[in-house]
Amino acid sequence: MNSSLLTIVLIFSVLSAIHLLYYVMGRIQPHKDYSGIGFRIKTWWGMLLIFCLATLFNPVVSLLSLMVLAFFALREYFSMIRSKKADRRLFLWAYLSIPVQFYLIYIGWYGMFIVFIPIYVFLFLPLPRLINKGTVGFLRSVSRVQWGLMLMVFGLSHLAYFQFATPQYGGGLVLFLVVLTQLGDVVHYLASIYFGKRKVVPTANPNLTWEGFACAFLVTTGASYLIYPYLTPLDLTFGIFSGMLISLSGFFGSLTVSVLKRDLLIGDDDKFDALKKSYLSRVDSLTYTSPVFFHVIRYFFDFM
């Protein structure tokens, strides 16, 4: 408990310093758009709160908090879809799968947790769309809902499973994952603003540049080397490798969600700009880093 409390105090101090720096930079350079960083900082505070509740009180509080986060992320994803009346039952079934997925985490049933959405929901999700709803738009409706479930629910739910898979190290691993993921996003954002030239997907997200990716990769790997001894039971090799893995998978997460949003919101630029401030924009990288990091650690280490 003393070690966990010290970690929380240190993270709180660092976050406060970053928040103050963000405020000062916004005053000094008002012409620069630092809104993306502000959204990430809010995410950090939220994740710190979840970590505090889970560490000092009960992991179930963290589980419920992450379940609510997954719900809001999925809801915002659905808000981007131009849906028909026939799709409403699909959305309802998708929402009902969220408490089931997180209940499987609570009881520690890993075998069902890992196949529930990818297999069982995938197989039975089309039923409400099939019954008396015709065939027009069937594939588009079902596939878009399944995509949302895989990213916003299945991907993010891995964050909650860490503490149930390894109660001793779970809180530290989650904090390690979230800090590196969000740090990579912020460094990528800043590097792209100041000297990013070659855009990865200029039509979907002008803030993603190859220069930003290179800087984020180096900084995230370096930060992983510095903090892994304090937050994880990993050895040196996996401490460094984890930083590289999180940076790479986080980049693909941001890239995928950016293209996905642009594809769904073609011709609706106002809504696209509004969703930059959404939950979905704050957790896009985590939809990839959470499952990737979880399964790599589970494969190589017995404590998971």
Side-chain angles (χ1 to χ4, degrees), residues 101 113-123 146 150 154:
Q101 177 75 357
F113 159 80
I114 207 64
V115 300
F116 174 64
I117 290 178
I119 295 180
Y120 290 103
V121 173
F122 172 76
L123 293 176
Q146 182 67 21
M150 286 297 297
F154 182 71

Side-chain angles (χ1 to χ4, degrees), residues 184 187-189 191-192 195-196 198 200 208-222 247-248 251:
V187 172
H188 193 146
Y189 187 86
S192 297
F195 49 85
R198 291 174 292 182
V200 182
L208 290 176
T209 66
W210 290 112
E211 292 82 2
F213 166 70
C215 290
F217 185 82
L218 293 174
V219 171
T220 304
T221 304
S247 178
L248 187 61
F251 169 71

Side-chain angles (χ1 to χ4, degrees), residues 91-130:
F91 293 170
L92 176 61
W93 279 45
Y95 287 131
L96 291 176
S97 70
I98 296 176
V100 177
Q101 177 75 357
F102 281 83
Y103 176 73
L104 294 172
I105 296 173
Y106 175 71
I107 63 176
W109 191 357
Y110 175 78
M112 183 57 73
F113 159 80
I114 207 64
V115 300
F116 174 64
I117 290 178
I119 295 180
Y120 290 103
V121 173
F122 172 76
L123 293 176
F124 292 103
L125 184 66
L127 286 180
R129 188 64 171 78
L130 286 170

Side-chain angles (χ1 to χ4, degrees), residues 197-240:
K197 295 181 179 179
R198 291 174 292 182
K199 294 178 173 56
V200 182
V201 279
T203 56
N205 191 337
N207 295 320
L208 290 176
T209 66
W210 290 112
E211 292 82 2
F213 166 70
C215 290
F217 185 82
L218 293 174
V219 171
T220 304
T221 304
S224 177
Y225 170 74
L226 294 175
I227 67 175
Y228 88 88
Y230 306 100
L231 295 177
T232 76
L234 305 177
D235 55 28
L236 175 62
T237 301
F238 263 88
I240 297 174

Side-chain angles (χ1 to χ4, degrees), residues 15-67:
L15 264 181
S16 299
I18 293 174
H19 206 151
L20 179 62
L21 181 62
Y22 161 72
Y23 178 79
V24 171
M25 292 299 293
R27 292 281 184 169
I28 296 175
Q29 298 179 319
H31 60 285
K32 293 284 187 179
D33 182 14
Y34 293 111
S35 58
I37 299 176
F39 303 143
R40 297 293 175 183
I41 291 175
K42 291 179 181 178
T43 303
W44 291 354
W45 283 116
M47 289 297 178
L48 177 62
L49 176 61
I50 292 174
F51 177 76
C52 291
L53 293 174
T55 303
L56 301 178
F57 297 100
N58 195 311
V60 176
V61 178
S62 173
L63 178 78
L64 294 175
S65 300
L66 291 170
M67 185 174 70

